[in-house]
Amino acid sequence: MSSRTRRTIIIDTDPGQDDAVAILFALAASDRLDVRAITAVAGNVPLNLTAKNARIVLGWANRTDIPVYAGCPRPLVREPVTAEHVHGETGLDGVPLQEADVELANGHAVDFLIKALRSAGPASITLCLLGPMTNLAAALVQEPDIRPGISEVVLMGGGYHVSGNVTPAAEFNVYADPEAAAVVFGSGIPMVVLPLDVTHQVLSTKERITRLENIGNRAGKLIAAILRAHGLIEIEQMGTDGGPLHDPTVIAYLLQPSLFCGRMVNVTVETRGEFTVGETVVDWRGVTERPPNALWLNQVDSNGFYELLTETVKRLP
Ligand code: BDR
Ligand code: CA
C-alpha cells in the first residue's frame, strides 16, 4: 500500500501513556488515517480504566465521534498482568484526568471487530495493536473468516535485538497475553512489528519534549506532560537522556514507512518456557525452515520520527 493512501484503521489499545500519545498522533493525521474505532483491552491498567482513558484522549482531540468499545477484561489463559508502576494508577500519569465526555459504544469489542471485518472489503482495514493482543486473538478464534478484511496488522510488541522489559526475555504486550500473541503471529495475516529494537531508538529527550510543548496547542502540552512522566524506569535502568517511546512508532510507520528498516522473518511466541514465556523467537538469520510471517523492523530514523510526530501534532487543538 502506498504511504500516501488514506487508510482505514482500528486502534486496539490499553491506554497507557504511550498509547495516549499514539492515539493523538493518529487523530492528528486525519487526512491519512481514518480511525474507524478504538477497541480497548486490559493491559497497562484494568479494562475499566483503559476504556475510560481512550475516551478521555478522544476528548482532548475533540474527536468523541469515534466509538470506543470495551473488549477483553483479562488474557485468554493467564492471570492479568498490569503496569501501574510504569503508567501510574490511572494509566495516564503526568496529566490531570477528568471524566470522559462520552459513553462507551454498545457491544463487546470482539463482536465489533468481527462485524466490522466481515462487512469490510478485501484487505481494507489496518489493525493497529498497541497492547496485549487478546481482542484480535479472541475474534480470530471465534470467527476465522474475518481475516480477508484485514489489510495488515501493525503492532508494537516483542523484542529481539533489545531483550525483554518485563522479564529478561519478554516485552510487556506479548508477556501479558502470550497465547493471544501466538494466535495472532500464527494467523497468516500480513504483520508488521515495531519491537523494542525500534522503540528503544526513539528516546524522548528533554529537547524533543520541549519542542512538542512549544507547539503551543493543548495536544502538544498534554503529550509533553505525559512524556515527562513516562519511561522513568528505563531511563534509570539504561542511563539514557530520555525514555523509549513505544506505541507511537506504529502510527509513524503508517504515515512514513521509509523512516524504518527491517526484514521479513519468522516470528513465533514462547508460551511454555520456564524463564522465557512471552519471548518473541525471531529467526533473524533464517536458520529454520519456518516461512517468514512478519516484517520485523529493527532500525528507525529517530530524528525523522520526532520531526513527524511534532509536525503532525501541530494540527490538533
Ligand atoms: C508496551 O507495553 C506497554 O506498557 C506500553 O504501552 C507499550 O505498548 C511496551 O512494552
Ligand atoms: Ca500499550
Side-chain angles (χ1 to χ4, degrees), residues 172-183:
F172 178 82
N173 289 340
V174 181
Y175 182 76
D177 196 343
E179 283 75 18
V183 168

Side-chain angles (χ1 to χ4, degrees), residues 128-162:
C128 302
L129 308 188
L130 311 182
M133 300 171 216
T134 322
N135 286 340
L136 178 57
L140 287 168
V141 169
Q142 209 174 308
E143 301 291 350
D145 68 351
I146 60 176
R147 281 182 302 189
I150 303 172
S151 152
E152 59 184 346
V153 168
V154 185
L155 70 90
M156 190 280 132
Y160 173 69
H161 301 278
V162 174

Side-chain angles (χ1 to χ4, degrees), residues 14 16-19 44 83 86-87 130-131 156 165 171-173 196 230 246-247:
D14 62 336
Q17 294 164 309
D18 57 324
D19 303 72
N44 289 317
V86 177
H87 299 265
L130 311 182
M156 190 280 132
N165 60 359
E171 178 280 330
F172 178 82
N173 289 340
L196 296 176
H230 186 61
H246 305 290
D247 296 339

Side-chain angles (χ1 to χ4, degrees), residues 131-218:
M133 300 171 216
T134 322
N135 286 340
L136 178 57
L140 287 168
V141 169
Q142 209 174 308
E143 301 291 350
D145 68 351
I146 60 176
R147 281 182 302 189
I150 303 172
S151 152
E152 59 184 346
V153 168
V154 185
L155 70 90
M156 190 280 132
Y160 173 69
H161 301 278
V162 174
S163 55
N165 60 359
V166 183
T167 72
E171 178 280 330
F172 178 82
N173 289 340
V174 181
Y175 182 76
D177 196 343
E179 283 75 18
V183 168
V184 171
F185 276 100
S187 66
I189 298 166
M191 311 241 316
V192 180
V193 185
L194 286 296
L196 296 176
D197 310 2
V198 159
T199 68
H200 277 242
Q201 292 173 39
V202 288
L203 301 180
S204 301
T205 61
K206 291 191 182 67
E207 193 219 320
R208 287 166 170 166
I209 294 175
T210 303
R211 280 191 61 208
L212 283 156
E213 185 171 43
N214 287 346
I215 294 171
N217 60 359
R218 178 173 59 183

